[in-house]
Amino acid sequence: MAVFVYKFGGTSVGSVERIKAVAEKIKKSTELGNHIVVVVSAMSGETNRLTGLAKEMQAQPNSREMDVLLSTGEQVTMSLLSMALHDLDCPACSYTGGQVKILTDSMHTKARIIEIDDVKIKQDLDQGKVVVVAGFQGIDEHGNITTLGRGGSDTTAVALAAALKADECHIYTDVDGVYTTDPRVEPKARRLDKITFEEMLELASLGSKVLQIRAVEFAGKYNVALRVLSSFKEGCGTLITYEESQMERALISGIAFNRDEAKLTITGVPDLPGVASKILCPVADKNIEVDMIIQNIAADETTDFTFTVHRNDYQKSKQVLEETCKELGAKQVTGDDSIVKVSIVGVGMRSHAGIASTMFKVLADEGINIRMISTSEIKISVVVDEKYLELAVRALHKAFDLEKEEE
Ligand code: ADP
Ligand code: ASP
Ligand code: MG
């Protein structure tokens, strides 16, 4: 008998009607003899609503309490879905992450899963029940509720699929698969039948929120068969796979972008050993993640140092950097929090020269100024002004032949 883990995102469980439709879908699958574990997100908008409430209580909400609060969103959905299944005479039982138990570390609001106890789930499956699990949450060794970061229900689903050695993990969402870029920005984006783990990992880490990056990491590590599908319409979605050879041999598989970027520059820094660490250690000490880093050598033996951070960390980073500026006797700190990162991703890049120059030419032809560049084996990222995001994505999408055939 096949075991499947199905995950339904916020829009897919966004109303009573949709939860009922999900229940129908699950019931149909059980009637085919499948064992189903369902992971649910909070109803759409709920996690944002709860975050808003928290911020009204405390400017920087206590992270332990934030997790207690945010975990309630998924708890609402799991019980409602379980009720809907009962209503269809489909035996079901819902569990919070802590009840399962999904053990995590104690990094509140971005915890990592350490271990999953699958005993209860297996017992329920053996008794013919559908098991509904609240996504996005776990419990630490001290019994505190934790959450896994935005989009974390994807990771709950994949981790459960790995623990249960499920046949497949289906991520049901509001698009019918992984596209060459976000179809909301480029309506001509094309659905991919397959994509490699490596490419999906890059796309996710560069901002494509269709899958949480940790979910892809987990699936790759434990070899979970992972598929992204629509919860609204039939179809086979996109399979995330290792099989590179059978894939359409495109140079570029997809374009990702991230709007949550900000950059900071410290100029006139003495060009001496240890300066990079003197600039970045105080930033790291504040738990701020740094992404791209660029250092220039100037003729007068001072250097300019630029890096990007999440937009939410912009003000905090600027304060830290102004302190460092004084300590190092540097010239000044400047910054910009209206920038975005656009990246092209593809394993085909490994064996082809000239992709970067094509990318830069396309942007130049559109009059888009590139502010920063970073590359790796299978991706090229540029930082551009926010106002150019859509234009850059669409121009690159066209130039690299990613558009779907005209209907
Ligand atoms: P859910 O609530 O189901 O988890 P998300 O909003 O987290 O859904 O993810 C689905 C969204 O991801 C889509 O609506 C789409 O706008 C966005 N997205 C970004 N990049 C891509 C891509 N390359 N392919 C498909 N969807 C993408
Ligand atoms: N509800 C959480 C969020 O909105 C987790 C998830 O949906 O995956 O980020
Ligand atoms: Mg999501």
Side-chain angles (χ1 to χ4, degrees), residues 7-10 40-43 45-48 70 73-74 135-136 149-155 212:
K7 177 252 167 178
F8 292 90
V40 285
S41 287
M43 293 166 81
E46 182 62 5
T47 309
N48 289 344
L70 291 186
E74 273 64 15
F136 170 61
R150 296 307 303 262
S153 299
D154 297 336
T155 304
Q212 198 199 35

Side-chain angles (χ1 to χ4, degrees), residues 79-113:
S79 47
L80 292 178
L81 177 59
S82 191
M83 287 174 199
L85 285 162
H86 282 288
D87 196 51
L88 298 174
D89 291 325
C90 182
C93 192
S94 70
Y95 297 105
T96 63
Q99 283 175 311
V100 166
K101 104 187 207 185
I102 298 178
L103 183 70
T104 71
D105 62 22
S106 303
M107 286 295 287
H108 284 293
T109 73
K110 48 183 167 212
R112 283 180 182 266
I113 295 175

